[in-house]
Amino acid sequence: MHDYQSIRQQFLINPDITFLNFGSFGACPKPVFEVYQQIQKEMEWEPVRFLARNAPARLELARKALGEFVHAHPDDLVYVLNPSWAVNAVGRSLKLEAGDEVLTTNIEYGACDKAWMYFCKQSGAHYIQQPIHFPVLDQQDIVESVISGITPRTRLIFISHITSATGFILPVSDICKAAQERGIPVFIDGAHTPGHIPLDLNQLNPDYYTGACHKWMMTPKGSSFLYAKKERQAQIDPLIISWGYDAAQPSHSQFLDYHQVQGTRDISAFLSIPAAIQFRAAHDWEKVSESCKQMVRASAGSFCEQLDTEPHIPIKPEFF
Amino acid sequence: MFSIPINTKEPERLQNTLYEQYQIEIPVMHQNEKNYLRYSVQGFNSPDDLNHLKNALLEIRHQSGLLD
Ligand SMILES: Cc1ncc(COP(=O)(O)O)c(C=O)c1O
């Protein structure tokens, strides 16, 4: 068992509350929050140097740290405020046409459903929400439910890595493989993934991936990322058109120019990500995290029994 | 993180009761006509936190109509 008492000292979280909702919004450990505030002070100390001069190099360092953490090339990652931002950037860029289909499940995050429904409505495309039947018997069931929804009009598969309301891991690796064999790009919504379960983007090889760092990675709020495979990057328009669009002095990457230059904004949360990664390493957080998951797995069945309900998923490690 | 399937006719009141009477921050999720109580465990959570939830649910179920 991890040392929850000493860990609690590391957080600002209200000690009078039993906080069991890290899945909605994470909490940032004190040392990471201090780095965050220090960065904000630096910005106030020399705003022009900070924002106009030094931002690209500092963002690069932060992308490198994140790239190592999620196993991706740092130039294939851009920081965004939240996963909704990433979904909107990609959704808007797909240029869906009437009759096209975006394939997904009926257990996605509501705000993402809204975004896709909006893009589909705008273009006359269809948002196909394949039903996932409960109780889920095994992961293969889910792969089949999703893949059986592919038609000649499927433009994209959008799927959560870990679902929000139902709270379990989906077989995204198998879905990626099966979809890509059929030439369908896959966008994975990994809002709950980084820092919660291991993430290796090189191995997973999705076309698009978004993850929130401010949940289980414990970074300050408003730090998330959009990953895109090299060959997909040119297709994604910036959500906010700014100096990076048609840049006068382009960097080595249009993807970075487009999505990293988004007008004046506070990038301190992004720049705090290396500190959050260091905090994890210094406190052996892989072990802490595993111990937390064991607590969940050990209690899940008895909560259901207590309330006379059946678990909607098998109580097995591949679902947690 | 695990979502406990629950039977409740008043998901919002259940969530408010857990917070206001038991000081437990936990979401009641609703999707496809089903309700779930989703608990997340992070490093600062102790087994006592889960016991507190368990006891709260027991009490709520016996003393109010919020949980079937
Ligand atoms: C599965 C999933 N996707 C996306 C999000 C998006 O979060 P945001 O509203 O911060 O963009 C969340 C947040 O909880 C989520 O659980």
Side-chain angles (χ1 to χ4, degrees), chain A residues 2 4 18-24 106-108 164-166 292 296 299-300 302-303 306 308-310 312, chain B residues 1-6 19 23-25 27 31-32 38-47 52 54 58 61:
Chain A
H2 56 280
Y4 46 83
T18 301
F19 192 82
L20 294 172
N21 194 1
F22 215 86
S24 287
N106 65 342
I107 54 171
E108 299 304 317
S164 173
T166 50
C292 291
V296 175
S299 56
S302 67
F303 274 119
Q306 186 197 348
D308 296 315
T309 58
E310 291 296 319
H312 55 307
Chain B
M1 189 165 79
F2 179 69
S3 293
I4 314 163
I6 57 168
Y19 185 79
Q23 289 74 52
I24 303 174
E25 179 64 72
Q31 196 168 50
N32 301 324
R38 188 186 74 187
Y39 64 103
S40 299
V41 174
Q42 183 52 291
F44 51 68
N45 290 122
S46 67
H52 182 42
K54 191 160 265 184
L58 208 68
R61 198 159 177 223

Side-chain angles (χ1 to χ4, degrees), chain A residues 23-24 82-85 109 111-112 160 162-164 189 191-192 214-215, chain B residues 38:
Chain A
S24 287
N82 50 51
S84 299
W85 186 292
Y109 186 62
C112 298
S160 292
I162 301 176
T163 58
S164 173
D189 171 3
H192 284 278
H214 52 227
K215 290 188 195 271
Chain B
R38 188 186 74 187

Side-chain angles (χ1 to χ4, degrees), chain A:
Chain A
M1 172 68 62
H2 56 280
D3 183 1
Y4 46 83
Q5 262 157 343
S6 76
I7 290 174
R8 186 164 266 271
Q9 303 308 314
Q10 301 274 354
F11 285 83
L12 293 156
I13 203 139
N14 183 352
D16 299 334
I17 297 291
T18 301
F19 192 82
L20 294 172
N21 194 1
F22 215 86
S24 287
F25 305 105
C28 185
K30 286 177 194 167
V32 181
F33 201 72
E34 277 159 21
V35 169
Y36 173 53
Q37 291 184 315
Q38 184 53 41
I39 295 169
Q40 289 183 318
K41 281 183 191 156
E42 282 179 55
M43 177 164 65
E44 292 312 313
W45 180 250
E46 281 210 74
V48 176
R49 286 267 123 186
F50 186 96
L51 284 166
R53 281 282 189 148
N54 300 337
R58 294 189 66 158
L59 281 166
E60 186 178 351
L61 285 180
R63 279 189 288 104
K64 278 190 174 146
L66 180 66
E68 268 175 43
F69 191 74
V70 300
H71 302 275
H73 193 286
D75 289 350
D76 299 341
L77 298 166
V78 282
Y79 282 117
V80 293
L81 218 51
N82 50 51
S84 299
W85 186 292
V87 169
N88 277 270
V90 173
R92 194 174 73 147
S93 304
L94 280 185
K95 311 220 164 40
L96 295 167
E97 290 172 12
D100 281 351
E101 293 172 1
V102 174
L103 178 59
T104 189
T105 73
N106 65 342
I107 54 171
E108 299 304 317
Y109 186 62
C112 298
D113 281 337
K114 278 183 193 282
W116 289 113
M117 284 170 183
Y118 170 84
F119 291 119
C120 287
K121 192 173 162 197
Q122 293 287 307
S123 55
H126 304 289
Y127 191 52
I128 311 289
Q129 297 169 283
Q130 289 292 95
I132 302 300
H133 299 288
F134 292 121
V136 170
L137 300 179
D138 57 26
Q139 295 279 23
Q140 194 51 37
D141 249 15
I142 299 174
V143 179
E144 277 157 25
S145 299
V146 174
I147 296 303
S148 66
I150 292 178
T151 75
R153 296 305 305 265
T154 307
R155 287 282 311 280
L156 179 81
I157 291 177
F158 176 75
I159 188 151
S160 292
H161 198 160
I162 301 176
T163 58
S164 173
T166 50
F168 67 100
I169 300 172
L170 295 183
V172 289
S173 179
D174 288 344
I175 289 171
C176 265
K177 281 192 199 100
Q180 288 163 349
E181 272 166 21
R182 294 159 176 80
I184 315 278
V186 179
F187 184 171
I188 300 174
D189 171 3
H192 284 278
T193 307
H196 191 174
I197 58 171
L199 176 58
D200 187 331
L201 286 169
N202 285 331
Q203 204 177 15
L204 187 57
N205 192 33
D207 294 81
Y208 313 94
Y209 193 102
T210 184
C213 305
H214 52 227
K215 290 188 195 271
W216 298 90
M217 258 181 96
M218 308 185 291
T219 67
K221 312 290 175 289
S223 48
S224 302
F225 67 88
L226 167 64
Y227 161 93
K229 226 185 221 181
K230 286 256 181 309
E231 57 266 38
R232 298 285 174 201
Q233 292 175 3
Q235 292 162 244
I236 316 173
D237 290 333
L239 193 58
I240 301 297
I241 308 295
S242 182
W243 292 105
Y245 185 74
D246 208 1
Q249 289 165 320
S251 75
H252 62 288
S253 159
Q254 178 189 289
F255 183 58
L256 295 181
D257 292 340
Y258 272 25
H259 304 284
Q260 211 168 252
V261 185
Q262 299 277 288
T264 309
R265 57 182 179 152
D266 185 352
I267 56 171
S268 314
F270 306 154
L271 301 187
S272 311
I273 284 171
I277 294 171
Q278 279 158 20
F279 176 89
R280 294 176 67 87
H283 293 84
D284 210 356
W285 212 263
E286 299 311 313
K287 271 214 188 110
V288 173
S289 172
E290 190 43 46
S291 160
C292 291
K293 270 176 270 189
Q294 275 171 17
M295 266 173 75
V296 175
R297 286 195 288 263
S299 56
S302 67
F303 274 119
C304 292
E305 255 173 52
Q306 186 197 348
L307 298 175
D308 296 315
T309 58
E310 291 296 319
H312 55 307
I313 50 167
I315 313 283
K316 288 185 185 162
E318 71 250 41
F319 285 90
F320 285 84

